[in-house]
Amino acid sequence: MTEMPREHEADNVANLMQRIWRSDIAYSFRSSKVTVVAGLITAIFMLSALFAPWVAPHDPYNMANVSVLDAFLPPSWMEGGDPRYLLGTDNIGRDVFSTIIHGSRISLGVGFASVFFAATLGVTLGLISGYVGGRTDAFIMRIAEIQLSFPDILIALLIDGTIRSILGPGAHGNIAFVVVISAISLAYWVQFARTVRSTTMVEKSKEYIQAARVTGKSPLYIMFRHLLPNVMGPVLVIATIMLALAIVTEATLSFLGVGVPPTQPSLGTLIRVGNDFLFSGEWWITIFPGAALAIMGLSVNLLGDWLRDALNPKLR
Amino acid sequence: MLSFVLSRILQSFIVMIGVSLVAFSLFTYVGDPISNLVGIQTSDEKREQLRESLGLNEPAPVQFVNFLGRVSQFDFGISYQQKRKVSSIIAERLPATLELSFVSALLALLIGVPAGIYTALNRDSWVSHLMLSASLIGVSLPTFLIGIMLIFVFAVQIQILPSFGRGEVVQLGFWSTGFLTASGLKALIMPSITLALFQMTLIMRLVRSEMLEVLRADYIKFARARGLSDRMVHFGYALMNTLVPVITITGLQLGSIIAFAIITETVFQWPGLGLMFIQAINEVDIPVMSTYLLLIACFFVIINLVVDLLYYFVDPRLRIKQGQ
């Protein structure tokens, strides 16, 4: 069976593509121009982030290639610009365009990691809360409620600040990444947990779960084997919306100087560094990373909004 | 009734105890409080003496109770960096943050509510569409980016507004105000717009959706059937019923404004509590940090408690649910 002829496989792939193309979701995607543009921009950002070392015209981290003589060059179309540096260079002569590509790689990476951990934590706690119920449920939901009464960016900032001060001034390099990612994921697990909990409570009383229980399956098995696949739809929607939020939160933390280290700058760090040169006229060092962040955040946000509406049967 | 109020107060109390515990542990266990207070030359005996007199050799629960006792008398210790009482630093910085937050909240309401009404009543006008798209951008742009763009346009390019600080302030007793000088008011413009923008878009969208909902209600149809003017229906009936949830949300958002002030204050170097907190994190100034933590938590807990209790008195449905 596994040895399928090549043509068959190609046929199947074509078939699958056709089915995807004809599906409701693909239709609603195609029929919204804004969403298509947002999707394209997001795809471009993700691809260039994924292949940053090959896409970026310069390697901004290789100090051997960076020359201070090239510092503060304006964008190439302006007077005094250098055609080698499309969007100009920063204070130590790094190509701004390349730092943006590498920066968005880090922004997206931290964003994805944070959303992944937030989802893992939130889904697990939501499943337990919804399936076990009783005191466990009351306890978890009370914590969630308390956390929801604070703005998430404040939660992230407070957790980040607290962990940082515990670690002391040594919290640089890779530890800073761990701190930022855990702060953001601890700030965003609640939304996942609440949604998963309510879906779980609906699913729990259905017959297939009762059947699984009768056959003597353990609660853990039922939760992850039977319930999990049925709550993944809403989780995906929240994850997309959360990705935009996580990117913005990471940028904010980095801008405030408590985010990722300046040796591996994200878009937020680039804006922070460039901000010092805004007044001396070198606006491109901060405005271009800022624009990149704005466009990326907006596109992912629009994509999340669309996904939420497309998967919500009430709105059809 | 009483049980609901009591349980809400108990919950707030537990939250505050939890936050105090975090603040206390930071204060006591992060870094060595003694070495931050004395010079390098101080002898070990002196250190030990100081340690004893500050009660740092007591068991942890006793220390925690002592800590709570001190905090309730507004004694938050001494800043490691500035070597001053944290309480006096806070008192000095508080007016700046409160003035900024107050103006922003006012701005958000004064622009957000009319814009929401307009977009609800004129759903298909291009102005409404423009406002809604702009609000989407406002929601997804990070606050600090909006601040930087404003600085770039109005402070760097046109050079009509100052980009940092509060301008000249007038000292009224313990309160320093920027409201009374021209430079103080000018300095307030950009930070307050930056801070207000997010809340403004939120209020606008909320008023719009609430109003659209209310306009569909039967009593509005009935009011129209009675032949009342559009003006009367819109502002006398619809708006009044829209405002209750709006007021609640605005009350809850007060906390967010204080929280987002951290970002705005950093962008504009506004000498308020938020900037103080960020500086404290970067300098590992634990007493200042943990005090801010306590303060902001206390603030949020009080706001939430008040809003919850108000809701309970305003909305009879909650009372019935409790009775069952």
Side-chain angles (χ1 to χ4, degrees):
Chain A
M1 261 321 266
T2 45
E3 290 280 313
M4 218 186 266
R6 264 290 150 96
E7 297 110 67
H8 252 295
E9 211 169 73
D11 246 24
N12 274 354
V13 169
N15 226 330
L16 187 69
M17 292 306 278
Q18 218 166 26
R19 269 177 54 200
I20 290 176
W21 179 251
R22 283 184 192 151
S23 69
D24 286 352
I25 289 188
Y27 177 75
S28 96
F29 182 79
R30 270 177 293 154
S31 49
S32 159
K33 270 183 211 143
V34 178
T35 312
V36 172
V37 173
L40 270 178
I41 294 176
T42 310
I44 291 172
F45 265 110
M46 287 192 182
L47 286 177
S48 67
L50 207 58
F51 301 107
W54 295 278
V55 176
H58 300 264
D59 180 3
Y61 304 127
N62 188 350
M63 280 304 148
N65 292 343
V66 176
S67 156
V68 190
L69 291 176
D70 287 339
F72 296 122
L73 285 176
S76 57
W77 63 85
M78 280 172 58
E79 207 177 313
D82 188 318
R84 279 181 302 156
Y85 307 113
L86 181 63
L87 300 181
T89 58
D90 68 0
N91 54 325
I92 49 174
R94 294 185 297 199
D95 176 38
V96 171
F97 184 56
S98 305
T99 54
I100 288 177
I101 291 176
H102 281 270
S104 49
R105 175 187 172 105
I106 290 183
S107 288
L108 277 170
V110 172
F112 269 112
S114 311
V115 170
F116 175 77
F117 287 118
T120 312
L121 185 68
V123 169
T124 312
L125 287 176
L127 278 175
I128 293 173
S129 198
Y131 189 77
V132 179
R135 272 170 192 275
T136 323
D137 175 40
F139 181 70
I140 295 175
M141 281 305 118
R142 192 46 59 85
I143 294 178
E145 213 173 272
I146 291 168
Q147 196 175 324
L148 263 191
S149 64
F150 293 80
D152 8 76
I153 215 158
L154 181 69
I155 298 266
L157 190 56
L158 294 183
I159 296 174
D160 187 278
T162 312
I163 305 180
R164 254 163 207 278
S165 57
I166 291 172
L167 293 175
H172 293 305
N174 289 333
I175 300 175
F177 278 102
V178 178
V179 174
V180 174
I181 291 171
S182 33
I184 300 177
S185 31
L186 283 174
Y188 288 111
W189 66 273
V190 178
Q191 280 84 344
F192 289 101
R194 282 167 68 105
T195 315
V196 168
R197 171 180 174 266
S198 57
T199 324
T200 306
M201 287 170 78
V202 174
E203 294 290 319
K204 181 166 93 168
S205 53
K206 288 194 179 158
E207 278 160 355
Y208 71 97
I209 299 295
Q210 285 173 352
R213 219 181 288 178
V214 168
T215 53
K217 295 279 188 276
S218 74
L220 223 59
Y221 183 87
I222 295 175
M223 271 188 247
F224 286 95
R225 189 68 205 217
H226 294 298
L227 284 169
L228 188 61
N230 287 302
V231 299
M232 278 322 268
V235 168
L236 195 69
V237 176
I238 303 176
T240 319
I241 296 171
M242 287 295 150
L243 179 64
L245 281 174
I247 290 172
V248 167
T249 308
E250 182 277 326
T252 306
L253 291 179
S254 296
F255 175 76
L256 295 176
V258 291
V260 302
T263 42
Q264 280 154 291
S266 73
L267 288 175
T269 328
L270 291 176
I271 298 168
R272 172 190 171 78
V273 172
N275 200 22
D276 296 341
F277 306 102
L278 197 57
F279 286 96
S280 45
E282 287 91 11
W283 53 270
W284 56 89
I285 305 178
T286 180
I287 294 295
F288 286 133
L293 176 67
I295 294 169
M296 184 157 83
L298 190 62
S299 306
V300 179
N301 224 332
L302 285 170
L303 217 55
D305 276 356
W306 161 77
L307 198 62
R308 185 186 53 200
D309 294 347
L311 292 184
N312 187 353
K314 276 189 209 148
L315 289 176
R316 283 219 192 114
Chain B
M1 156 76 211
L2 196 65
S3 74
F4 172 78
V5 174
L6 281 180
S7 76
R8 276 300 285 116
I9 292 177
L10 185 72
Q11 188 188 331
S12 314
F13 189 69
I14 294 173
V15 173
M16 276 323 291
I17 291 286
V19 176
S20 319
L21 209 58
V22 173
F24 165 74
S25 331
L26 276 176
F27 201 78
T28 319
Y29 301 113
V30 176
D32 183 5
I34 297 295
S35 62
N36 279 303
L37 287 174
V38 297
I40 306 169
Q41 281 116 359
T42 317
S43 67
D44 281 355
E45 283 153 45
K46 271 248 176 80
R47 280 170 193 248
E48 195 47 46
Q49 234 172 5
L50 196 60
R51 186 171 278 278
E52 187 68 40
S53 69
L54 285 175
L56 290 173
N57 287 339
E58 307 269 358
V62 177
Q63 279 195 48
F64 183 54
V65 172
N66 288 341
F67 173 79
L68 288 182
R70 285 199 307 273
V71 164
S72 60
Q73 295 164 28
F74 299 107
D75 174 8
F76 302 108
I78 291 163
S79 158
Y80 292 166
Q81 290 297 325
Q82 306 189 26
K83 311 288 180 207
R84 287 197 299 151
K85 272 191 174 168
V86 177
S87 50
S88 62
I89 300 178
I90 300 260
E92 193 182 289
R93 296 256 183 159
L94 193 63
T97 296
L98 287 186
E99 282 187 358
L100 176 63
S101 309
F102 174 72
V103 174
S104 306
L106 211 62
L107 211 61
L109 274 177
L110 288 183
I111 300 177
V113 174
I117 297 172
Y118 180 84
T119 46
L121 295 183
N122 308 293
R123 280 180 73 180
D124 296 319
S125 90
W126 63 270
V127 181
S128 300
H129 285 294
L130 191 73
M131 281 198 212
L132 282 177
S133 323
S135 80
L136 186 68
I137 295 174
V139 168
S140 32
L141 274 191
T143 319
F144 71 94
L145 214 53
I146 294 170
I148 290 179
M149 303 234 185
L150 284 178
I151 290 182
F152 180 57
V153 174
F154 293 103
V156 179
Q157 298 286 329
I158 318 183
Q159 300 192 341
I160 47 169
L161 291 173
S163 66
F164 66 91
R166 284 182 84 187
E168 258 175 81
V169 291
V170 176
Q171 204 73 29
L172 297 174
F174 68 93
W175 190 275
S176 66
T177 179
F179 287 156
L180 297 175
T181 60
S183 71
L185 287 175
K186 252 177 133 178
L188 199 56
I189 297 175
M190 285 203 291
S192 57
I193 291 178
T194 310
L195 190 52
L197 216 55
F198 184 78
Q199 316 297 334
M200 201 189 292
T201 50
L202 205 73
I203 291 175
M204 180 188 126
R205 287 176 158 249
L206 186 75
V207 170
R208 177 176 179 272
S209 63
E210 283 290 332
M211 191 111 177
L212 286 176
E213 190 103 331
V214 169
L215 283 175
R216 254 178 264 144
D218 284 342
Y219 61 85
I220 296 291
K221 280 187 200 143
F222 187 67
R224 282 194 208 282
R226 276 164 65 201
L228 295 179
S229 67
D230 266 2
R231 205 186 143 87
M232 188 64 199
V233 171
H234 289 158
F235 294 99
Y237 287 67
L239 184 60
M240 285 306 135
N241 286 293
T242 310
L243 284 184
V244 178
V246 173
I247 290 169
T248 327
I249 299 282
T250 315
L252 281 174
Q253 290 299 317
L254 259 181
S256 301
I257 289 189
I258 302 264
F260 280 107
I262 298 178
I263 303 160
T264 312
E265 285 176 8
T266 310
V267 176
F268 292 97
Q269 292 297 301
W270 187 264
L273 291 177
L275 188 62
M276 175 197 79
F277 177 61
I278 291 296
Q279 284 166 345
I281 292 183
N282 284 325
E283 293 163 350
V284 201
D285 197 342
I286 305 288
V288 176
M289 246 194 76
S290 51
T291 308
Y292 183 83
L293 211 65
L294 274 175
L295 213 64
I296 196 110
C298 185
F299 193 74
F300 265 92
V301 164
I302 291 173
I303 289 181
N304 284 323
L305 188 64
V306 170
V307 169
D308 265 13
L309 294 183
L310 274 184
Y311 232 33
Y312 186 75
F313 288 113
V314 171
D315 194 340
R317 281 171 297 187
L318 283 173
R319 261 171 283 170
I320 293 165
K321 212 167 138 196
Q322 286 286 317
Q324 278 169 353

